[in-house]
Amino acid sequence: LEIEITGEAARLQVRISNDLPAGSDGASGTGTGRTEAVGLRNVGDRLSRLYPGAYDLHAGLRDDGRYHVALALPLRLDVGAAA
């Protein structure tokens, strides 16, 4: 499991990669043959509501045999600051 979090050009970048379990088909991470993981779809729905048109989410199996997720959000440094 590899996790990388950076702030670049007013964007928060999160990159995660992981080996797949033995027998997994890469679509759902469980080997059940589902075409899309429910959790990933739910994350996309929530991001659409919180950051309409302002986020990027990419996930899937790459040629290296690992599952990769890349998420970019607007970087807000004032969250939780006293008004």
Side-chain angles (χ1 to χ4, degrees):
L1 175 66
E2 295 177 25
I3 301 172
E4 178 185 353
I5 302 171
T6 59
E8 302 170 2
R11 303 279 286 172
L12 176 67
Q13 306 278 341
V14 180
R15 294 176 190 90
I16 302 168
S17 62
N18 194 27
D19 295 328
L20 294 175
S24 176
D25 60 8
S28 65
T30 63
T32 62
R34 291 183 295 162
T35 58
E36 182 180 16
V38 172
L40 190 56
R41 185 174 58 237
N42 288 341
V43 168
D45 291 346
R46 289 181 184 211
L47 288 169
S48 292
R49 283 185 236 126
L50 292 169
Y51 303 96
Y55 77 94
D56 292 307
L57 177 63
H58 303 281
L61 186 62
R62 292 213 184 143
D63 291 339
D64 64 1
R66 301 186 74 175
Y67 197 83
H68 293 260
V69 176
L71 171 64
L73 302 170
L75 183 59
R76 300 186 326 208
L77 299 176
D78 62 343
V79 174

